[in-house]
Amino acid sequence: MTRALLDLKPTLRLALRDGAYLRPLLADDVTMAYVDGLNDPEVHRYMEAPRKQRQTLEGVRAYVADNAADAGAILFGLYAGGTLRGTVRLHDVESGPGTATVGIALFDRGVWSQGLGSAALAAVVRFATGELGLTRLEAGIIAANKGSIQAFEKTGFRRTSDKPPDPELGPVGLWVLEAAATR
Ligand SMILES: CC(C)(COP(=O)(O)OP(=O)(O)OC[C@H]1O[C@@H](n2cnc3c(N)ncnc32)[C@H](O)[C@@H]1OP(=O)(O)O)[C@@H](O)C(=O)NCCC(=O)NCCS
């Protein structure tokens, strides 16, 4: 399965509404707007790595390249209006039978609360369950991150248990989407 994931990446494209789409990112796709967005305190407030360490063009390119070469991950770029606005990351694919973890970051605050985040999550869920045949998707979400909780809930994720609390931001929940096996 994971070999297949590497083979899929070059041609993979998931359509969203109004011409928006998701496709796996390559290092050369990284823009300064992406880097600057990750360094925006409003954007990274609930994000583990960018919250703790200032992001650079080289660092973000290396992160994107690592994901591109990872047989167990896809880092999708979210393009809207022809511009890269954020990412959805499907990772640790098959860390357990039929499982993966999902993360999302719209680093362009100008597109928040327009339904893009939940539409992007829904497209990745359809791909992961329908195309990859995964049956369990997980996300760890800080309880104070209301926007993220709303977007994941709208997509069908439900809170199942506690994760270890974040020392600075408090309670963290495990959000799970279970899907029927398709193969
Ligand atoms: C969290 C995030 C992905 C949400 O994306 P988005 O495109 O703004 O979300 P949507 O527009 O799809 O909103 C989904 C729902 O959440 C609501 N919502 C969005 N932001 C909200 C907020 N800050 N507080 C409360 N509700 C919010 C929307 O109104 C919508 O509700 P509705 O369906 O009843 O209308 C985006 O804000 C983001 O990337 N934030 C920074 C990074 C981050 O925190 N990532 C998540 C880490 S787990």
Side-chain angles (χ1 to χ4, degrees):
M1 133 83 81
T2 47
R3 176 71 239 167
L5 212 58
L6 280 182
D7 293 341
L8 273 176
K9 288 188 201 187
T11 53
L12 187 56
R13 185 169 164 133
L14 307 179
L16 307 176
R17 54 147 212 237
D18 300 330
Y21 62 91
L22 295 161
R23 69 159 173 82
L25 282 182
L26 297 171
D28 282 351
D29 296 317
V30 177
T31 58
M32 270 323 288
Y34 179 175
V35 178
D36 292 343
L38 290 176
N39 286 324
D40 178 342
E42 279 288 307
V43 172
H44 68 218
R45 178 180 298 177
Y46 302 115
M47 294 173 67
E48 182 88 33
R51 194 172 93 227
K52 295 185 175 150
Q53 191 178 4
R54 185 156 185 88
Q55 301 295 298
T56 62
L57 187 61
E58 297 69 34
V60 179
R61 281 196 174 137
Y63 172 77
V64 170
D66 284 350
N67 275 277
D70 187 339
I74 303 180
L75 180 67
F76 289 98
L78 167 53
Y79 287 81
T83 301
L84 181 60
R85 313 282 186 176
T87 57
V88 181
R89 182 166 173 249
L90 186 68
H91 59 105
D92 292 309
V93 174
E94 296 283 22
S95 58
T99 68
T101 302
V102 182
I104 183 166
L106 304 192
F107 48 75
D108 181 347
R109 278 199 274 139
V111 300
W112 285 7
S113 293
Q114 297 173 16
L116 257 187
S118 33
L121 285 173
V124 170
V125 165
R126 274 195 305 276
F127 166 74
T129 57
E131 301 291 318
L132 301 182
L134 301 179
T135 52
R136 180 185 166 93
L137 300 175
E138 298 184 356
I141 310 178
I142 290 166
N145 193 352
K146 302 296 178 212
S148 185
I149 289 172
Q150 282 274 85
F152 275 91
E153 282 211 330
K154 203 171 169 181
T155 315
F157 285 76
R158 296 292 174 260
R159 190 185 187 289
T160 59
S161 55
D162 293 335
K163 281 176 73 87
D166 182 283
E168 288 155 26
L169 298 171
V172 181
L174 178 67
W175 296 75
V176 174
L177 180 144
E178 306 263 15
T182 55
R183 55 181 70 174

